[in-house]
Amino acid sequence: MKQKSKQKSVPMVVTTERGVFFGYGTPDLEAAHVKLINARMVVYWSADCRSVVGLAANGPTNGCRIGPKVPAILIRNVTAIMKVNDETSKKFEQAPWSR
């Protein structure tokens, strides 16, 4: 019996019609639903991010509002999945909230 190979969990930004989330999951770029671990919701991103794609490319800035972490979340009706690099994920882990 063949065993399924485990894909490595990677940092990603996931969007839906109603929200933007950051967390770690397996990168199935065609999935309709995505499970993220250590997930955070992006409540607001500031204009200096230059769009949600800019947020995924460069990470949140001090003007952004990133919510607290939950252990896991299942996100339904995904509209976009964007892999992010390690530097960007470190910025999300700092969870900036407008001061």
Side-chain angles (χ1 to χ4, degrees):
M1 191 156 97
K2 217 177 191 183
Q3 223 178 13
K4 252 188 179 180
S5 66
K6 283 196 169 196
Q7 285 187 321
K8 184 181 175 192
S9 194
V10 298
M12 58 180 73
V13 170
V14 177
T15 65
T16 69
E17 290 180 0
R18 296 181 176 239
V20 177
F21 302 87
F22 166 80
Y24 300 84
T26 54
D28 179 358
L29 298 179
E30 295 187 25
H33 310 302
V34 173
K35 179 182 178 184
L36 293 178
I37 57 172
N38 295 323
R40 299 175 184 275
M41 184 175 193
V42 179
V43 178
Y44 172 82
W45 63 89
S46 52
D48 60 347
C49 288
R50 299 185 194 121
S51 79
V52 70
V53 175
L55 178 70
N58 303 308
T61 60
N62 285 335
C64 296
R65 294 181 177 162
I66 309 299
K69 189 185 300 184
V70 296
I73 187 171
L74 178 63
I75 301 170
R76 299 182 186 275
N77 303 318
V78 169
T79 56
I81 299 171
M82 296 168 268
K83 294 182 193 178
V84 303
N85 62 38
D86 290 338
E87 185 178 321
T88 297
S89 67
K90 286 177 188 173
K91 291 179 183 178
F92 273 104
E93 290 297 343
Q94 294 171 358
W97 191 273
S98 244
R99 291 163 185 60

